[in-house]
Amino acid sequence: MLGGSVYVAFIRMVVNLAGTILLFSLMSESRYDRKRTIICYGMFSAAAIVLACVWYIIDWSSYTRMVTFVLYMCFSVFAYFMGRDPVYLAAYKLALNFYLLAVFMISGIEVSIIFFDGNVWIDLITRGILIAGMAYLIDRKIKDSIRGFVYYVENELDRFSVGVMIISILSGIGFILNPSTNGQTPYRLFQIVMNFFLTGALQLLVFRLYQHIGKEREYQKENQLMQMNHRLLERNMELLEESAESSRRICHDARHHNMVIAEYARRGQNEELLEYLEEYDRKLVVNTAESICANTTVNNLLSAYTRKARKEQIQVLPDVKLGGNLTISNIDLVTILANAYENAIYGCMEVKKQFPDRECFIHLVLKQKKNKLVISCKNTCQIEAELKNGQPKSEFTGGIGVLSIIKTAERFNGEYEFKNDNGVFVFRLIMNIPMTDQIENDKKRGIKDVSDSTLR
């Protein structure tokens, strides 16, 4: 340390704390609003600076050895409760922030000693310049990616890897801040520079690696959505072909019906004509398309997949009670229902491959209860179908849409469950139905809806 009066120690502590809080705030989102966050950090900084100055006066020797670690540990605990990140991700960000703290502290000291004979003001100015440069770089280049890193950590990066990254940072910092190492030799400076470079390069490499892995997973999800859209188009084409065939059949049959009606009329057989018309009317009622619910999009979607399931000799038991004015966007409904129904059909077909005589079923429940949407889908599945991290493996679902279901459900703060109940796969989902003002906000952000005509 460069030493100095209590006044200089006070300024140095202000610069260090301000830099630490600024850099950490750019990397992590606070759980409170901006005003409350500033007040909390201000109160913490005031208490920390006062205690540090008292410590400096009482015992300068222990202060120089321990103040950085002690105050940063206190800051770490405080910052964890201020942020939104899970504990292991918060620990990584705090360790990375500690690395940046070491960079501007040591750089300020080294520049002051080597070039300006230990001038304390040069040390403070150097720290301020480095803090401003780091803050600019984080804000302009990596703020969004490092804040979004929480998603990749939770889904791709295991906690052991996070632990290794944290240990590597702390080990490098511990070597540089070793108070027993004295002397500003060229070798010592080379060690400092290389240690900072290798530690930073390692963190950048690992960060970019897992960010790339996370983006690859995003591409996989998009590919799954494309596959889902392809299958929906196939169902839609089947509906169109059936509609065209039905239209041709109706035109052909109508000609024969007209001939029969005309013959009855010419012969004056009125009673026989009425009986024939009643029989024809009953036949029309039987052949009328099944109506599952009042929501056009959901009805067309479920009708298409129900027809597909019954072609595969799968018993379908729908229990759908849904109004036509649901405020959840059609694309979100299609994402969840199409994927769940598609996976259920796939599971039943896999069972029929192994046991052709086994009866397979799909029991679909879809209900609206106040501001909640309840979805339940049970279907026959292989007894050996396993789950990983609470999710079915892709080989038992055809690789379609489980992640899409989860991602969509999380957008509405939904709670979901997947399980294999002794050969019956169970999927349950409860999610919030957004209010009208939330829908308007989604439209402003550019979230588009799917037309009701998508599956007509």
Side-chain angles (χ1 to χ4, degrees):
M1 296 293 291
L2 298 177
S5 64
V6 176
Y7 177 69
V8 174
F10 172 80
I11 297 177
R12 185 182 290 123
M13 187 61 61
V14 169
V15 172
N16 290 346
L17 264 178
T20 301
I21 293 173
L22 174 62
L23 297 179
F24 183 77
S25 300
L26 290 173
M27 293 187 292
S28 181
E29 292 185 83
S30 174
R31 68 178 64 199
Y32 305 113
D33 60 77
R34 186 172 183 177
K35 181 179 179 180
R36 186 174 179 183
T37 300
I38 293 174
I39 292 174
C40 292
Y41 274 120
M43 294 175 62
F44 171 82
S45 300
I49 291 170
V50 170
L51 293 175
C53 291
V54 172
W55 187 2
Y56 184 84
I57 296 173
I58 296 175
D59 189 355
W60 179 85
S61 178
S62 64
Y63 174 90
T64 58
R65 293 195 306 270
M66 300 295 297
V67 66
T68 302
F69 292 101
V70 171
L71 289 185
Y72 196 81
M73 291 301 102
C74 295
F75 170 77
S76 299
V77 174
F78 178 79
Y80 169 70
F81 289 103
M82 289 290 295
R84 296 180 178 181
D85 297 322
V87 59
Y88 52 92
L89 182 60
Y92 170 71
K93 288 185 177 180
L94 287 166
L96 183 60
N97 190 248
F98 195 26
Y99 167 77
L100 299 177
L101 169 65
V103 169
F104 68 73
M105 280 182 57
I106 299 301
S107 298
I109 294 173
E110 297 297 328
V111 169
S112 176
I113 293 176
I114 295 173
F115 299 105
F116 298 94
D117 196 26
N119 188 301
V120 295
W121 301 110
I122 297 298
D123 171 32
L124 294 173
I125 293 172
T126 304
R127 296 186 189 193
I129 293 174
L130 289 174
I131 290 170
M134 292 176 183
Y136 179 83
L137 180 63
I138 293 173
D139 184 61
R140 294 291 182 177
K141 301 296 183 181
I142 64 174
K143 180 176 70 174
D144 293 336
S145 60
I146 200 168
R147 285 186 175 183
F149 192 53
V150 58
Y151 173 76
Y152 301 130
V153 170
E154 289 179 339
N155 292 275
E156 310 296 341
L157 183 60
D158 58 275
R159 299 185 182 185
F160 174 78
S161 299
V162 176
V164 172
M165 293 167 67
I166 293 172
I167 291 172
S168 69
I169 294 176
L170 297 181
S171 298
I173 298 172
F175 170 78
I176 292 177
L177 296 182
N178 184 6
S180 64
T181 304
N182 298 316
Q184 303 301 322
T185 64
Y187 178 69
R188 164 68 175 164
L189 297 180
F190 176 77
Q191 285 182 315
I192 292 175
V193 172
M194 290 306 298
N195 194 290
F196 275 141
F197 173 76
L198 293 176
T199 303
L202 174 63
Q203 300 309 310
L204 179 62
L205 176 64
V206 175
F207 176 81
R208 298 282 294 181
L209 171 64
Y210 282 99
Q211 189 177 41
H212 176 74
I213 293 174
K215 288 182 178 179
E216 286 294 324
R217 182 61 63 89
E218 290 291 327
Y219 295 148
Q220 291 178 10
K221 292 179 181 179
E222 291 179 3
N223 183 51
Q224 290 180 353
L225 287 174
M226 291 177 64
Q227 293 182 44
M228 181 195 72
N229 290 333
H230 176 72
R231 297 192 181 190
L232 287 174
L233 289 173
E234 288 181 343
R235 302 291 90 78
N236 198 19
M237 290 299 297
E238 291 175 3
L239 286 173
L240 290 174
E241 290 174 0
E242 291 178 4
S243 177
E245 179 63 28
S246 177
S247 179
R248 287 193 296 269
R249 187 180 65 252
I250 290 173
C251 291
H252 181 268
D253 292 343
R255 183 165 57 87
H256 294 286
H257 292 312
N258 290 337
M259 291 175 59
V260 173
I261 292 172
E263 187 62 26
Y264 276 126
R266 275 194 296 268
R267 296 185 178 185
Q269 297 175 330
N270 296 331
E271 293 184 3
E272 289 82 355
L273 175 59
L274 290 175
E275 291 179 1
Y276 177 80
L277 291 175
E278 290 176 359
E279 181 181 355
Y280 182 65
D281 186 61
R282 288 193 298 269
K283 184 178 179 181
L284 287 177
V285 172
V286 172
N287 292 332
T288 301
E290 179 182 8
S291 177
I292 299 178
C293 70
N295 187 288
T296 305
T297 300
V298 175
N299 184 77
N300 292 333
L301 172 70
L302 298 183
S303 296
Y305 277 101
T306 299
R307 188 178 294 102
K308 171 69 175 177
R310 287 171 177 167
K311 283 184 178 179
E312 300 293 338
Q313 298 181 348
I314 301 171
Q315 183 182 10
V316 180
L317 306 171
D319 183 9
V320 181
K321 297 179 181 178
L322 199 63
N325 57 346
L326 197 64
T327 55
I328 295 178
S329 67
N330 290 330
I331 189 151
D332 293 319
L333 281 173
V334 167
T335 298
I336 295 173
L337 294 176
N339 282 311
Y341 216 149
E342 187 81 43
N343 292 339
I345 294 174
Y346 179 87
C348 292
M349 292 173 62
E350 288 298 302
V351 171
K352 281 188 170 292
K353 288 180 182 179
Q354 294 184 357
F355 310 99
D357 297 331
R358 183 176 175 184
E359 292 291 333
C360 294
F361 73 92
I362 298 175
H363 182 202
L364 179 67
V365 178
L366 179 60
K367 295 182 180 180
Q368 177 183 357
K369 296 183 177 180
K370 295 183 179 179
N371 65 328
K372 301 288 184 181
L373 181 65
V374 180
I375 300 174
S376 173
C377 185
K378 300 179 181 179
N379 63 274
T380 309
C381 71
Q382 302 177 48
I383 296 178
E384 61 271 18
E386 298 178 357
L387 280 71
K388 182 179 181 181
N389 298 327
Q391 302 176 20
K393 296 182 178 180
S394 59
E395 57 264 31
F396 297 110
T397 63
I400 298 294
V402 173
L403 293 177
S404 299
I405 293 175
I406 293 174
K407 187 174 182 180
T408 305
E410 289 175 347
R411 284 187 56 234
F412 297 94
N413 298 319
E415 298 181 3
Y416 55 86
E417 177 189 25
F418 300 94
K419 70 175 182 178
N420 183 352
D421 188 8
N422 194 29
V424 176
F425 186 81
V426 180
F427 161 61
R428 295 190 182 97
L429 170 64
I430 300 177
M431 64 182 190
N432 297 321
I433 298 175
M435 305 301 291
T436 305
D437 55 350
Q438 182 176 344
I439 297 174
E440 292 299 326
N441 292 333
D442 287 344
K443 289 182 179 179
K444 290 179 181 179
R445 292 197 303 267
I447 300 176
K448 297 180 179 180
D449 202 354
V450 173
S451 172
D452 285 342
S453 63
T454 301
L455 290 168
R456 287 182 182 175

